């Protein structure tokens, strides 16, 4: 017969766990709401910046600007992988690591020299354990706990500097994008050189005259292009953060449900055992009474 | 200029859409000085200076503190992308003063602590002072 006290104890621990997972779910939900709001608020700026840069790129001679034109010979490519610092968020980190293994590690050193950088502890730790044959350049840990545009500017500037110093010729960001609270999408985007949508020939407005630049074109491009790098990075941080919160929320929701089921099962088992114990005791009493009669 | 001609202003920051709508005139704190934009303006791409952006509609003028960004003008459309933007009547002068003191403190300690970014501290002081000037003007 199952030990009643032991079952009771298990029910209690499961309830405690459920309380924690429920709390985590609520926290993630609240943070997700905030992150979604920030994403939405950031959209008009992003659209406008994209438009201005697309305009500039398609209507103006931009040769001589590595940050948008790129380098003639691309040898070294860096991939910045954005993951979370903390676990308990379902497949959020493992799916991105799997993606990196499949898309990058599997064909590393074929055509280019690849190297990796990380924002977030988890991706870095998982790949480190697998002992991969690839250069690791930069790791930022606990960056996304609380971040703002300023932080993206700092990271962006250090990456631009690394580009100018020749540490890599192209930089891609691999991150989770927020689709909905229950789904994320892994997106790879080129950050450096700045990615510009090419217009179809029909879309190029031939009548467009060049801007009057104030101060000069040089100064404007020098600040505009880094701005796009900073901003894309900020967006990637926002997207990844929102996706992480979504993933954690659904993981914790599932965990709470599982805990609930377990509690139900254990309670049933507990009641059955208790009933069995009562039945046995009753039988003993009846048997004893019968024996005395006889 | 016809009576009903307006410029269409879009003023955004990475954190919000601050102002969208028509205006008689927009005055931008451009790099080399203030630039007044009326309808039908030439195409311009200008870096912003830290300063006051004014939106004039009839007799009323709404002033914003802006910094770190640029403005694109295309005929009747004015698009301003600012890193920082705040309506001057919403500026909290006490907070701006505190920010200035904090930044000055940072700058004082910069010689001892290599972690302190002198350029950023200076920029913070400028920003805080400009906000105070504009905020006091609005009050």
């Amino acid at each position: 017969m199952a030990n009643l006290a032991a079952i009771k104890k298990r029910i209690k621990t499961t309830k405690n766990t459920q309380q924690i997972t429920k709390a985590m779910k609520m926290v993630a939900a609240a943070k997700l709401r905030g992150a979604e709001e920030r994403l939405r608020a950031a959209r008009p700026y992003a659209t406008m910046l994209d438009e201005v840069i697309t305009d500039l790129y398609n209507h103006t001679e931009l040769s001589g600007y590595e940050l948008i034109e790129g380098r003639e010979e691309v040898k070294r490519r860096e991939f910045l992988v954005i993951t979370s610092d903390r676990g308990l968020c379902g497949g959020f980190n493992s799916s991105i690591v799997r993606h990196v293994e499949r898309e990058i590690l599997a064909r590393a050193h074929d055509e280019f020299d690849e190297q990796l950088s990380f924002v977030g502890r988890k991706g870095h730790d998982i790949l480190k354990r697998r002992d991969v044959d690839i250069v690791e350049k930069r790791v930022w840990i606990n960056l996304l706990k609380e971040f703002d545009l300023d932080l993206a500017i700092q990271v962006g500037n250090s990456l631009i500097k690394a580009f100018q110093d020749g540490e890599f010729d192209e930089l891609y960001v691999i991150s989770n994008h927020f689709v909905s609270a229950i789904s994320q999408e892994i997106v790879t985007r080129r950050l450096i050189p700045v990615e510009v949508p090419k217009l179809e020939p029909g879309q190029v407005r031939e009548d467009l005259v060049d801007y009057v630049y104030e101060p000069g074109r040089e100064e404007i491009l020098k600040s505009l292009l880094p701005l796009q790098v900073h901003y894309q990075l900020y967006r990637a941080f926002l997207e990844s953060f929102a996706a992480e919160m979504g993933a954690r929320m659904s993981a914790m929701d599932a965990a709470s449900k599982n805990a609930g089921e377990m509690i139900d099962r254990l309670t049933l088992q507990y009641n059955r055992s208790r009933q069995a114990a009562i039945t046995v005791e009753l039988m003993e009493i009846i048997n004893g009474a019968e024996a005395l009669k006889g | 200029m016809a009576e009903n001609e307006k410029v269409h202003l879009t003023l955004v920051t990475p954190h919000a859409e601050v102002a969208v709508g028509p205006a008689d005139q927009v005055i931008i704190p451009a790099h080399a000085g203030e630039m007044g934009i009326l309808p039908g303006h030439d195409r311009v791409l200008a870096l912003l200076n830290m300063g006051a952006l004014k939106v004039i509609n009839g007799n009323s003028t709404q002033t914003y503190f802006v910094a770190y960004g640029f403005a694109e003008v295309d005929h009747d459309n004015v698009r301003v992308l600012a890193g920082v933007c705040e309506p001057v009547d919403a500026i909290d002068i006490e907070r701006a003063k505190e920010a200035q003191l904090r930044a000055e403190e940072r700058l004082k300690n910069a010689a001892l602590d290599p972690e302190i970014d002198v350029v950023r501290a200076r920029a913070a002081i400028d920003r805080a002072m400009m906000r105070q000037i504009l905020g006091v003007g609005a009050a």
Side-chain angles (χ1 to χ4, degrees), chain A residues 164-196:
Chain A
Q164 284 161 348
D165 291 348
E167 286 187 38
F168 54 80
D169 301 310
E170 283 184 343
L171 176 81
Y172 294 81
V173 174
I174 304 178
S175 64
N176 273 297
H177 274 213
F178 173 78
V179 182
S180 71
I182 50 161
S183 73
Q184 304 87 37
E185 184 188 5
I186 293 171
V187 176
T188 306
R189 253 204 204 133
R190 198 178 72 201
L191 187 71
I192 298 174
V194 170
E195 205 167 35
V196 186

Side-chain angles (χ1 to χ4, degrees), chain A residues 41-42 44-45 48-49 51-52 55-56 149-150 154 205 208-209 211-215 220 223-224 227 231 234, chain B residues 10 12-17 30-33 35 42-47 70 72-74 79-82 120:
Chain A
Y45 186 95
M48 272 174 62
L49 191 55
E51 277 171 18
V52 171
D55 247 23
L56 257 180
L149 187 59
D150 257 11
Q154 283 174 39
R205 286 160 60 192
L208 227 49
V209 287
Y211 290 109
V212 174
Y213 295 93
E214 165 43 51
I220 292 206
S223 64
L224 198 64
L227 208 64
Y231 202 69
Y234 178 62
Chain B
T10 319
V12 298
T13 71
H15 311 292
E17 206 166 44
H31 193 76
M35 191 189 262
D42 271 349
R43 273 164 65 80
V44 171
L45 192 59
L47 277 187
F70 64 97
E72 189 214 24
V73 182
D74 185 5
R79 302 198 286 186
V80 181
L81 287 96
R120 279 178 54 144

Side-chain angles (χ1 to χ4, degrees), chain A residues 119-262:
Chain A
V119 169
R121 184 199 309 270
K122 283 287 168 186
H124 170 256
D125 287 0
I126 298 172
L127 281 170
K128 188 113 216 165
R129 276 203 295 276
R130 310 232 165 129
D131 207 13
V132 294
D133 165 37
I134 199 158
V135 182
E136 239 183 57
K137 293 298 278 193
R138 286 158 260 276
V139 184
W140 284 277
I141 283 171
N142 271 338
L143 191 73
L144 298 189
K145 209 156 76 184
E146 239 177 81
F147 66 96
D148 53 12
L149 187 59
D150 257 11
L151 200 70
I153 292 173
Q154 283 174 39
V155 174
N157 281 342
S158 69
L159 290 170
I160 291 171
K161 180 152 190 314
F163 173 67
Q164 284 161 348
D165 291 348
E167 286 187 38
F168 54 80
D169 301 310
E170 283 184 343
L171 176 81
Y172 294 81
V173 174
I174 304 178
S175 64
N176 273 297
H177 274 213
F178 173 78
V179 182
S180 71
I182 50 161
S183 73
Q184 304 87 37
E185 184 188 5
I186 293 171
V187 176
T188 306
R189 253 204 204 133
R190 198 178 72 201
L191 187 71
I192 298 174
V194 170
E195 205 167 35
V196 186
K198 264 274 182 202
L199 296 181
E200 299 294 314
Q203 286 177 291
V204 179
R205 286 160 60 192
E206 298 290 352
D207 58 319
L208 227 49
V209 287
D210 198 0
Y211 290 109
V212 174
Y213 295 93
E214 165 43 51
R217 224 176 62 139
E218 184 108 355
E219 284 87 342
I220 292 206
L221 286 169
K222 259 191 200 149
S223 64
L224 198 64
L225 297 176
L227 208 64
Q228 177 73 338
V229 172
H230 300 155
Y231 202 69
Q232 291 296 335
L233 207 54
Y234 178 62
R235 287 265 311 200
F237 288 172
L238 277 181
E239 289 276 2
S240 178
F241 185 76
E244 180 192 337
M245 290 308 138
R248 176 159 303 126
M249 193 177 94
S250 33
M252 288 304 106
D253 185 47
S256 303
K257 278 199 188 110
N258 287 344
E261 278 168 25
M262 193 180 235

